[in-house]
């Protein structure tokens, strides 16, 4: 093995150890721009019904949309969810029975008529690749919609639609973040 490969392996092992330690203490390291980067803390486990407006951690289900997102690098590297994905952290913007609409092709998302900030769907990602998007509608029973109202370019429910409530496992709040 060359030196660069050993350094790479060492960095990966160190990062895994740090992230594992964070999880043991109920902490999550957010390294994505979807919300302020930094340390977030799990504040309580989630049991349905979910609370609209709360920040949550979820293990996304296996699906073509998430497989593509993983392949495009939207979700970082492999994670500890049962399907190998990394958990996602988003705000619960809609719950079962809520009606989600979009203002035109590139317009804002509305939940029960209320506009969600920074929620216009993007036609292309940062690399210029087309983005398939969810068309909206009523949130089915036992489903929820997770969206970033912080970053207009976040990969979130605007693209993959509602998730099963059982995907969401904890509410979270910031501990030490930078904008």
């Amino acid at each position: 093995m060359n030196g660069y490969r050993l350094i790479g392996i060492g960095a990966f092992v160190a990062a895994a150890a740090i992230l594992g330690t964070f999880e043991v203490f109920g902490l999550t390291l957010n390294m994505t721009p979807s919300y302020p980067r930094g340390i977030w803390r799990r504040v309580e486990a989630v049991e349905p019904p979910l609370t609209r407006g709360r920040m949550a951690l979820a293990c996304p289900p296996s699906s073509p949309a998430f497989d593509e997102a993983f392949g495009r690098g939207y979700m970082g590297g492999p994670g500890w969810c049962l399907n190998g994905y990394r958990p996602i952290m988003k705000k619960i913007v809609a719950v079962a029975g809520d009606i989600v609409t979009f203002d035109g092709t590139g317009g804002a998302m509305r939940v029960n008529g209320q506009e969600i900030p920074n929620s216009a769907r993007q036609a292309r990602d940062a690399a210029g690749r087309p983005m398939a998007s969810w068309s909206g509608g009523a949130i089915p029973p036992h489903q929820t919609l997770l969206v970033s109202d912080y970053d207009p370019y976040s990969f979130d429910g605007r693209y993959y639609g509602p998730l099963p409530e059982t995907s969401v496992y904890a509410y979270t709040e910031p501990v030490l973040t930078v904008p």
Side-chain angles (χ1 to χ4, degrees):
M1 278 191 200
N2 66 32
Y4 291 116
R5 188 167 183 180
L6 286 174
I7 290 170
I9 291 170
F12 177 79
V13 170
I18 290 169
L19 291 175
T21 300
F22 270 59
E23 286 298 322
V24 167
F25 292 106
L27 300 173
T28 296
L29 182 61
N30 178 42
M31 299 179 293
T32 73
S34 291
Y35 281 97
R37 289 178 170 98
I39 301 170
W40 292 69
R41 177 175 62 100
R42 286 180 285 178
V43 291
E44 62 188 281
V46 172
E47 292 191 26
L50 302 181
T51 305
R52 188 185 309 104
R54 298 284 306 265
M55 288 294 297
L57 292 165
C59 277
S62 296
S63 72
F66 282 110
D67 289 343
E68 181 176 39
F70 183 81
R72 288 184 173 188
Y74 301 160
M75 301 173 62
W80 57 263
C81 294
L82 293 178
N83 55 14
Y85 296 144
R86 293 177 79 177
I88 56 175
M89 184 178 75
K90 308 288 182 206
K91 186 175 279 185
I92 298 170
V93 298
V95 296
D98 286 343
I99 305 299
V100 179
T101 59
F102 291 90
D103 295 341
T105 303
M109 173 189 287
R110 294 183 180 276
V111 176
N112 301 326
Q114 297 294 312
E115 184 175 329
I116 304 299
N118 297 310
S119 64
R121 294 174 291 187
Q122 307 298 317
R124 300 195 172 278
D125 68 8
R129 298 170 290 203
M131 297 285 292
S133 60
W134 178 59
S135 60
I139 304 298
H142 311 292
Q143 300 271 311
T144 189
L145 187 66
L146 303 177
V147 172
S148 171
D149 58 355
Y150 181 82
D151 178 20
Y153 301 101
S154 176
F155 178 73
D156 56 32
R158 292 174 281 180
Y159 307 102
Y160 51 75
L163 300 178
E165 287 180 335
T166 55
S167 298
V168 179
Y169 64 89
Y171 294 124
T172 188
E173 64 186 22
V175 173
L176 179 65
T177 62
V178 295

